[in-house]
Amino acid sequence: MSILSSLLGNAGAINKERLQEEYGKLLIPSENIEAGFKIIRDTFIFTNKRLIIIDVQGLTGRKIEYFSVLYKSITRFSIETAGSFDLDAELKIWISGESIPSISKKFNKKVDIYEVQKLLAEFTL
């Protein structure tokens, strides 16, 4: 099922130590990784200061965009839990000034969507 979830673009949790090794150079000294998730080639990381979205582009994946969203810029967010037939949960995030969600990500059942919501609530409220 995890291969199918990856092919469908669903996110899976990544170990914090692995994220620190791979993306630690993006962090400032007082910034810590709280959680991270991978969707096929892309990754998004929740730190204690911001959300970092790593977008791998092109066929070779040599071009990478690092997109940072300060938590204070997030005006609202929603989660949708997985159902019986719809096997993935979804997270939507609105950034100030946007009328449609700026970020929309799907998670497989291995990720507790309530924990993701709790992380966002902790940093935005």
Side-chain angles (χ1 to χ4, degrees):
M1 189 62 167
S2 64
I3 293 173
L4 178 61
S5 291
S6 292
L7 291 173
L8 294 174
N10 297 347
I14 304 174
N15 179 295
K16 284 187 203 181
E17 290 78 23
R18 181 174 160 216
L19 289 169
Q20 183 65 41
E21 286 175 21
E22 198 166 340
Y23 302 110
K25 61 187 171 209
L26 297 173
L27 306 177
I28 61 172
S30 62
E31 192 171 19
N32 300 311
I33 294 174
E34 301 295 328
F37 303 94
K38 187 160 187 80
I39 302 175
I40 302 179
R41 298 190 319 173
D42 298 342
T43 304
F44 56 107
I45 301 169
F46 291 89
T47 76
N48 60 326
K49 307 235 181 242
R50 61 189 162 145
L51 173 62
I52 304 170
I53 300 169
I54 299 147
D55 181 16
V56 178
Q57 302 171 355
L59 293 174
T60 62
R62 297 187 103 189
K63 183 175 181 180
I64 301 171
E65 177 184 20
Y66 299 94
F67 182 70
S68 293
V69 179
L70 299 177
Y71 292 120
K72 67 181 180 180
S73 300
I74 297 173
T75 56
R76 63 184 181 196
F77 55 89
S78 71
I79 60 169
E80 182 179 298
T81 60
S84 299
F85 297 107
D86 185 12
L87 299 177
D88 54 310
E90 188 171 3
L91 168 69
K92 293 178 183 175
I93 300 173
W94 285 261
I95 296 175
S96 58
E98 300 288 328
S99 59
I100 59 171
S102 305
I103 301 165
S104 182
K105 300 292 181 189
K106 291 184 184 252
F107 295 81
N108 63 28
K109 284 192 173 188
K110 290 182 182 177
V111 176
D112 184 352
I113 194 69
Y114 294 105
E115 286 299 317
V116 175
Q117 185 276 154
K118 188 176 178 181
L119 272 172
L120 273 172
E122 184 177 325
F123 292 119
T124 60
L125 300 179

